[in-house]
Amino acid sequence: MSGETAPPLARSTLDRAAHRRGDAQWLTEAWLRGRILLLDSTDGGRTLARTDASPPTLVLFGAADVPAGAESTAMFLGVEPDGVPVFALDAPLPAVPGTRPVNLREVGHLLGDREAGIFTTALALLNWHTRHGYSTATGAPTVMDEAGWSRVDRDGGRIWPRTDPAMIVLVHDGVDGPEGRCLLGNNAGWPGTPGGRRYSCLAGYVEPGESAEAAVLREVREEVGISVERIGYVGSQAWPFPGSLMLGFLATADPADPVRVDPSEIAYARWFTRAEIGAACAGRAVDVGDGARLILPPPSSIALFLVHRWLDGWVDADR
């Protein structure tokens, strides 16, 4: 059992203090006393952590530890409960004894609430800035503004960070106990894993003019050819790879309905019993054919959170 009450990247203790983003005088003072997370955009947004600690701890620096003038490209993340401001900065990672570079996928689920919120917010902002150096309306170059929460071109045209909504659903048969089943798929675009095959929840982007629930119906029908009922919202989390908000659902379907995969999206799909999923979570091999064992979604994903919710008996989202 997971014991998690929220998706792993949906935790934070930061006050985002949005009213401070345009206050240049306050930001200048805050920089001098703030904590700074360094992220290296050339290395996938890695940061430094002490991973021998439990939970791992992120390394935050002071203004005296970074080059002079770095505050002009720093992103203001918010204020901690102790009143100290937190910033993020795109910069090469220095060598710090007892630390190593880590990415959010690797350690997000291991971090405490405070540091999960800092890392997730910083990476989401960094990825947005990396991809929006030019105005989408005019093609003109843009520069960071509002302490990292917008970009502006030379004519004053402004753009703000965008998050793409995506649904993800754990489809199950509504049956309690070890013989209850859930439907998982292997995405056609995922790289192969020697000796294993990853299966995860079905997911897709919410299209323009569409509700999240309608996207659940459409994506499941498109990907595996079945209809779902009793769609229930469970929770959400940011997935800044590069900039999505994953909206998590549970829904029911009839295992007697034939599964017809769209091969352009799904390579394999099949029903698994709760006993099989429990065995995989416990580290035991579950055969999925062709000599491959079942690999579940990564622990920082909302997909595994949904799997655990179902595994632990939450067959209804409001239960």
PDB file of all heavy atoms in Angstrom, residues 17-35:
ATOM      1  N   ALA A  17       3.175  34.112  -3.179  1.00  0.00           N
ATOM      2  CA  ALA A  17       3.326  35.566  -3.014  1.00  0.00           C
ATOM      3  C   ALA A  17       3.334  36.292  -4.354  1.00  0.00           C
ATOM      4  O   ALA A  17       4.237  37.081  -4.653  1.00  0.00           O
ATOM      5  CB  ALA A  17       4.604  35.869  -2.218  1.00  0.00           C
ATOM      6  N   ALA A  18       2.316  36.048  -5.161  1.00  0.00           N
ATOM      7  CA  ALA A  18       2.259  36.616  -6.509  1.00  0.00           C
ATOM      8  C   ALA A  18       2.291  38.143  -6.504  1.00  0.00           C
ATOM      9  O   ALA A  18       2.753  38.766  -7.469  1.00  0.00           O
ATOM     10  CB  ALA A  18       1.004  36.124  -7.226  1.00  0.00           C
ATOM     11  N   HIS A  19       1.822  38.763  -5.424  1.00  0.00           N
ATOM     12  CA  HIS A  19       1.805  40.229  -5.367  1.00  0.00           C
ATOM     13  C   HIS A  19       3.206  40.822  -5.308  1.00  0.00           C
ATOM     14  O   HIS A  19       3.377  42.033  -5.502  1.00  0.00           O
ATOM     15  CB  HIS A  19       0.994  40.690  -4.148  1.00  0.00           C
ATOM     16  CG  HIS A  19       1.565  40.275  -2.828  1.00  0.00           C
ATOM     17  ND1 HIS A  19       1.559  38.957  -2.401  1.00  0.00           N
ATOM     18  CD2 HIS A  19       2.179  40.994  -1.847  1.00  0.00           C
ATOM     19  CE1 HIS A  19       2.134  38.892  -1.197  1.00  0.00           C
ATOM     20  NE2 HIS A  19       2.510  40.098  -0.844  1.00  0.00           N
ATOM     21  N   ARG A  20       4.222  39.991  -5.045  1.00  0.00           N
ATOM     22  CA  ARG A  20       5.595  40.483  -4.989  1.00  0.00           C
ATOM     23  C   ARG A  20       6.298  40.439  -6.347  1.00  0.00           C
ATOM     24  O   ARG A  20       7.397  40.990  -6.490  1.00  0.00           O
ATOM     25  CB  ARG A  20       6.402  39.641  -3.992  1.00  0.00           C
ATOM     26  CG  ARG A  20       5.924  39.731  -2.538  1.00  0.00           C
ATOM     27  CD  ARG A  20       6.099  41.130  -1.989  1.00  0.00           C
ATOM     28  NE  ARG A  20       5.914  41.163  -0.537  1.00  0.00           N
ATOM     29  CZ  ARG A  20       5.918  42.292   0.166  1.00  0.00           C
ATOM     30  NH1 ARG A  20       6.096  43.457  -0.441  1.00  0.00           N
ATOM     31  NH2 ARG A  20       5.749  42.241   1.481  1.00  0.00           N
ATOM     32  N   ARG A  21       5.714  39.793  -7.337  1.00  0.00           N
ATOM     33  CA  ARG A  21       6.427  39.561  -8.596  1.00  0.00           C
ATOM     34  C   ARG A  21       6.753  40.845  -9.358  1.00  0.00           C
ATOM     35  O   ARG A  21       7.714  40.889 -10.133  1.00  0.00           O
ATOM     36  CB  ARG A  21       5.616  38.606  -9.481  1.00  0.00           C
ATOM     37  CG  ARG A  21       5.478  37.215  -8.880  1.00  0.00           C
ATOM     38  CD  ARG A  21       4.493  36.355  -9.644  1.00  0.00           C
ATOM     39  NE  ARG A  21       4.280  35.071  -8.970  1.00  0.00           N
ATOM     40  CZ  ARG A  21       3.354  34.187  -9.316  1.00  0.00           C
ATOM     41  NH1 ARG A  21       2.530  34.458 -10.343  1.00  0.00           N
ATOM     42  NH2 ARG A  21       3.226  33.062  -8.641  1.00  0.00           N
ATOM     43  N   GLY A  22       5.964  41.884  -9.147  1.00  0.00           N
ATOM     44  CA  GLY A  22       6.237  43.155  -9.822  1.00  0.00           C
ATOM     45  C   GLY A  22       6.838  44.207  -8.920  1.00  0.00           C
ATOM     46  O   GLY A  22       6.969  45.374  -9.320  1.00  0.00           O
ATOM     47  N   ASP A  23       7.219  43.836  -7.724  1.00  0.00           N
ATOM     48  CA  ASP A  23       7.758  44.775  -6.743  1.00  0.00           C
ATOM     49  C   ASP A  23       9.278  44.711  -6.789  1.00  0.00           C
ATOM     50  O   ASP A  23       9.925  43.935  -6.072  1.00  0.00           O
ATOM     51  CB  ASP A  23       7.236  44.412  -5.351  1.00  0.00           C
ATOM     52  CG  ASP A  23       7.580  45.455  -4.293  1.00  0.00           C
ATOM     53  OD1 ASP A  23       8.544  46.211  -4.498  1.00  0.00           O
ATOM     54  OD2 ASP A  23       6.894  45.478  -3.254  1.00  0.00           O
ATOM     55  N   ALA A  24       9.891  45.550  -7.649  1.00  0.00           N
ATOM     56  CA  ALA A  24      11.332  45.485  -7.889  1.00  0.00           C
ATOM     57  C   ALA A  24      12.132  45.745  -6.620  1.00  0.00           C
ATOM     58  O   ALA A  24      13.155  45.074  -6.369  1.00  0.00           O
ATOM     59  CB  ALA A  24      11.718  46.485  -8.976  1.00  0.00           C
ATOM     60  N   GLN A  25      11.706  46.694  -5.804  1.00  0.00           N
ATOM     61  CA  GLN A  25      12.449  47.008  -4.590  1.00  0.00           C
ATOM     62  C   GLN A  25      12.432  45.831  -3.613  1.00  0.00           C
ATOM     63  O   GLN A  25      13.467  45.454  -3.045  1.00  0.00           O
ATOM     64  CB  GLN A  25      11.862  48.243  -3.924  1.00  0.00           C
ATOM     65  CG  GLN A  25      12.597  48.668  -2.658  1.00  0.00           C
ATOM     66  CD  GLN A  25      12.057  49.950  -2.066  1.00  0.00           C
ATOM     67  OE1 GLN A  25      11.350  50.702  -2.729  1.00  0.00           O
ATOM     68  NE2 GLN A  25      12.394  50.211  -0.805  1.00  0.00           N
ATOM     69  N   TRP A  26      11.263  45.238  -3.440  1.00  0.00           N
ATOM     70  CA  TRP A  26      11.176  44.089  -2.534  1.00  0.00           C
ATOM     71  C   TRP A  26      12.006  42.925  -3.053  1.00  0.00           C
ATOM     72  O   TRP A  26      12.700  42.256  -2.285  1.00  0.00           O
ATOM     73  CB  TRP A  26       9.715  43.667  -2.368  1.00  0.00           C
ATOM     74  CG  TRP A  26       9.545  42.560  -1.369  1.00  0.00           C
ATOM     75  CD1 TRP A  26       9.346  42.682  -0.019  1.00  0.00           C
ATOM     76  CD2 TRP A  26       9.592  41.143  -1.634  1.00  0.00           C
ATOM     77  NE1 TRP A  26       9.266  41.444   0.577  1.00  0.00           N
ATOM     78  CE2 TRP A  26       9.409  40.476  -0.386  1.00  0.00           C
ATOM     79  CE3 TRP A  26       9.763  40.382  -2.783  1.00  0.00           C
ATOM     80  CZ2 TRP A  26       9.403  39.087  -0.281  1.00  0.00           C
ATOM     81  CZ3 TRP A  26       9.765  39.006  -2.685  1.00  0.00           C
ATOM     82  CH2 TRP A  26       9.579  38.362  -1.451  1.00  0.00           C
ATOM     83  N   LEU A  27      11.958  42.666  -4.349  1.00  0.00           N
ATOM     84  CA  LEU A  27      12.697  41.546  -4.933  1.00  0.00           C
ATOM     85  C   LEU A  27      14.205  41.730  -4.769  1.00  0.00           C
ATOM     86  O   LEU A  27      14.934  40.762  -4.507  1.00  0.00           O
ATOM     87  CB  LEU A  27      12.346  41.396  -6.409  1.00  0.00           C
ATOM     88  CG  LEU A  27      10.946  40.851  -6.715  1.00  0.00           C
ATOM     89  CD1 LEU A  27      10.599  41.058  -8.184  1.00  0.00           C
ATOM     90  CD2 LEU A  27      10.847  39.375  -6.340  1.00  0.00           C
ATOM     91  N   THR A  28      14.683  42.963  -4.916  1.00  0.00           N
ATOM     92  CA  THR A  28      16.111  43.220  -4.736  1.00  0.00           C
ATOM     93  C   THR A  28      16.548  42.877  -3.318  1.00  0.00           C
ATOM     94  O   THR A  28      17.591  42.238  -3.104  1.00  0.00           O
ATOM     95  CB  THR A  28      16.424  44.697  -5.035  1.00  0.00           C
ATOM     96  OG1 THR A  28      16.118  44.972  -6.408  1.00  0.00           O
ATOM     97  CG2 THR A  28      17.887  45.001  -4.787  1.00  0.00           C
ATOM     98  N   GLU A  29      15.761  43.290  -2.354  1.00  0.00           N
ATOM     99  CA  GLU A  29      16.077  42.982  -0.954  1.00  0.00           C
ATOM    100  C   GLU A  29      15.929  41.488  -0.667  1.00  0.00           C
ATOM    101  O   GLU A  29      16.737  40.889   0.056  1.00  0.00           O
ATOM    102  CB  GLU A  29      15.160  43.804  -0.054  1.00  0.00           C
ATOM    103  CG  GLU A  29      15.445  43.659   1.441  1.00  0.00           C
ATOM    104  CD  GLU A  29      14.712  42.472   2.079  1.00  0.00           C
ATOM    105  OE1 GLU A  29      13.645  42.060   1.542  1.00  0.00           O
ATOM    106  OE2 GLU A  29      15.219  41.936   3.087  1.00  0.00           O
ATOM    107  N   ALA A  30      14.874  40.898  -1.257  1.00  0.00           N
ATOM    108  CA  ALA A  30      14.618  39.479  -1.025  1.00  0.00           C
ATOM    109  C   ALA A  30      15.733  38.603  -1.577  1.00  0.00           C
ATOM    110  O   ALA A  30      16.099  37.573  -0.978  1.00  0.00           O
ATOM    111  CB  ALA A  30      13.284  39.086  -1.666  1.00  0.00           C
ATOM    112  N   TRP A  31      16.296  38.992  -2.714  1.00  0.00           N
ATOM    113  CA  TRP A  31      17.391  38.235  -3.320  1.00  0.00           C
ATOM    114  C   TRP A  31      18.576  38.120  -2.361  1.00  0.00           C
ATOM    115  O   TRP A  31      19.201  37.055  -2.249  1.00  0.00           O
ATOM    116  CB  TRP A  31      17.810  38.900  -4.628  1.00  0.00           C
ATOM    117  CG  TRP A  31      19.031  38.317  -5.254  1.00  0.00           C
ATOM    118  CD1 TRP A  31      20.300  38.810  -5.213  1.00  0.00           C
ATOM    119  CD2 TRP A  31      19.107  37.098  -6.019  1.00  0.00           C
ATOM    120  NE1 TRP A  31      21.161  38.001  -5.902  1.00  0.00           N
ATOM    121  CE2 TRP A  31      20.462  36.941  -6.410  1.00  0.00           C
ATOM    122  CE3 TRP A  31      18.178  36.145  -6.412  1.00  0.00           C
ATOM    123  CZ2 TRP A  31      20.890  35.859  -7.170  1.00  0.00           C
ATOM    124  CZ3 TRP A  31      18.609  35.062  -7.179  1.00  0.00           C
ATOM    125  CH2 TRP A  31      19.942  34.928  -7.548  1.00  0.00           C
ATOM    126  N   LEU A  32      18.878  39.189  -1.668  1.00  0.00           N
ATOM    127  CA  LEU A  32      20.049  39.210  -0.803  1.00  0.00           C
ATOM    128  C   LEU A  32      19.900  38.287   0.405  1.00  0.00           C
ATOM    129  O   LEU A  32      20.903  37.830   0.955  1.00  0.00           O
ATOM    130  CB  LEU A  32      20.313  40.644  -0.331  1.00  0.00           C
ATOM    131  CG  LEU A  32      20.673  41.642  -1.436  1.00  0.00           C
ATOM    132  CD1 LEU A  32      20.813  43.044  -0.863  1.00  0.00           C
ATOM    133  CD2 LEU A  32      21.953  41.210  -2.155  1.00  0.00           C
ATOM    134  N   ARG A  33      18.664  38.008   0.814  1.00  0.00           N
ATOM    135  CA  ARG A  33      18.462  37.144   1.982  1.00  0.00           C
ATOM    136  C   ARG A  33      17.790  35.825   1.611  1.00  0.00           C
ATOM    137  O   ARG A  33      17.467  35.024   2.487  1.00  0.00           O
ATOM    138  CB  ARG A  33      17.611  37.870   3.025  1.00  0.00           C
ATOM    139  CG  ARG A  33      16.195  38.216   2.584  1.00  0.00           C
ATOM    140  CD  ARG A  33      15.458  39.027   3.649  1.00  0.00           C
ATOM    141  NE  ARG A  33      14.114  39.396   3.227  1.00  0.00           N
ATOM    142  CZ  ARG A  33      13.034  38.654   3.426  1.00  0.00           C
ATOM    143  NH1 ARG A  33      13.131  37.472   4.053  1.00  0.00           N
ATOM    144  NH2 ARG A  33      11.855  39.063   3.015  1.00  0.00           N
ATOM    145  N   GLY A  34      17.604  35.598   0.322  1.00  0.00           N
ATOM    146  CA  GLY A  34      16.837  34.443  -0.113  1.00  0.00           C
ATOM    147  C   GLY A  34      17.654  33.171  -0.261  1.00  0.00           C
ATOM    148  O   GLY A  34      18.886  33.154  -0.103  1.00  0.00           O
ATOM    149  N   ARG A  35      16.922  32.102  -0.550  1.00  0.00           N
ATOM    150  CA  ARG A  35      17.515  30.811  -0.873  1.00  0.00           C
ATOM    151  C   ARG A  35      17.372  30.594  -2.372  1.00  0.00           C
ATOM    152  O   ARG A  35      16.338  30.924  -2.964  1.00  0.00           O
ATOM    153  CB  ARG A  35      16.809  29.687  -0.104  1.00  0.00           C
ATOM    154  CG  ARG A  35      16.904  29.848   1.414  1.00  0.00           C
ATOM    155  CD  ARG A  35      16.118  28.784   2.168  1.00  0.00           C
ATOM    156  NE  ARG A  35      16.260  28.966   3.612  1.00  0.00           N
ATOM    157  CZ  ARG A  35      15.256  29.108   4.458  1.00  0.00           C
ATOM    158  NH1 ARG A  35      13.993  29.062   4.014  1.00  0.00           N
ATOM    159  NH2 ARG A  35      15.479  29.285   5.743  1.00  0.00           N
TER     160      ARG A  35
END
